[in-house]
Amino acid sequence: PAAVVAAAEAMVFFFKTDLEYTMHLAPQYFGPRMRTFIRDEIVRNVEGKCLGRDGYVIAVMELKTEDIDTGVVEYDTGMVSVSATYSAILLRPFKNEVIDAVVTQVNEIGFFADAGPLAIFVSRHAMPPDLQEGYDADVDSWISDDREVEIKQRCVVRLKLLGVTCDANEITAVGTIKDDYLGLISMGQIGR
């Protein structure tokens, strides 16, 4: 287990970083509550969203008054373009990272699992040999030859990410449970 723990500690799944957000404000938002409106707008538009290679914004932590610029008037629309720098907690997975995930879907080619907003696919070829031929369509689960391991919906698995793909709106990954200390860690019914 020490190798798995060392590998997991060497990678960071969450980051706190500073990001910039630019928005266009109509004149009715100018005034004493403008900074509150800007903060609320940033939280509404970025929290829970994927920012491509930066990762998923889990939470906006801080937006200081001095981090909001004075803005530039756009003469053709009358709007003001305002940029603000904010601190946020981001979720960003990396290749070879070991994580725990909840199984959400099971089918004959593998299973899908979620770790927060991250969707991970594990192919039957990325499972141990005693599971590779163990799909049971009647109960929608992967069952080992000795029938001690059953991977089904809502169970928790520990997996290693083999590849991570970043698109503009989502991050997806492909994982494996074939290595040592990976696989089913809880058969508990999560999220009832």
Side-chain angles (χ1 to χ4, degrees):
V4 172
V5 171
E9 289 175 353
M11 296 169 225
V12 179
F13 200 56
F14 295 98
F15 293 96
K16 181 181 179 197
T17 189
D18 291 335
L19 298 168
E20 188 170 307
Y21 185 79
T22 302
M23 60 189 298
H24 300 292
L25 288 177
Q28 69 255 31
Y29 298 111
F30 300 164
R33 296 189 37 107
M34 183 173 84
R35 297 193 189 287
T36 304
F37 175 78
I38 291 171
R39 181 182 178 9
D40 292 346
E41 195 68 16
I42 289 172
V43 169
R44 183 175 25 259
N45 287 320
V46 300
E47 266 189 11
K49 303 283 191 305
C50 180
L51 301 180
R53 293 188 90 41
D54 288 330
Y56 288 99
V57 177
I58 301 300
V60 173
M61 300 300 295
E62 185 176 30
L63 174 67
K64 296 178 187 163
T65 302
E66 60 269 11
D67 292 337
I68 300 173
D69 71 6
T70 56
V72 176
V73 175
E74 294 180 351
Y75 293 105
D76 35 333
T77 64
M79 306 278 274
V80 174
S81 178
V82 177
S83 293
T85 303
Y86 63 96
S87 296
I89 300 291
L90 300 174
L91 175 144
R92 173 67 169 96
F94 292 96
K95 182 179 177 182
N96 294 323
E97 189 165 9
V98 175
I99 60 172
D100 296 345
V102 178
V103 176
T104 56
Q105 181 183 354
V106 180
N107 59 38
E108 65 276 355
I109 60 172
F111 64 86
F112 290 90
D114 288 347
L118 176 66
I120 306 152
F121 175 70
V122 177
S123 165
R124 63 185 275 212
H125 302 293
M127 294 182 199
D130 68 329
L131 274 172
Q132 287 183 358
E133 300 300 325
Y135 180 69
D136 186 346
D138 294 334
V139 291
D140 257 353
S141 63
W142 286 91
I143 302 173
S144 64
D145 293 342
D146 60 6
R147 308 201 66 69
E148 287 189 18
V149 175
E150 181 180 4
I151 296 176
K152 58 185 178 181
Q153 237 180 331
R154 290 188 284 192
C155 69
V156 180
V157 293
R158 179 160 295 141
L159 51 87
K160 182 167 102 174
L161 301 180
L162 295 175
V164 178
T165 303
C166 299
D167 294 331
N169 297 323
E170 71 176 345
I171 300 175
T172 55
V174 175
T176 183
I177 58 170
K178 210 174 199 173
D179 291 344
D180 292 338
Y181 311 107
L182 302 180
L184 182 68
I185 59 172
S186 170
M187 290 186 66
Q189 297 295 307
I190 305 296
R192 274 195 166 185

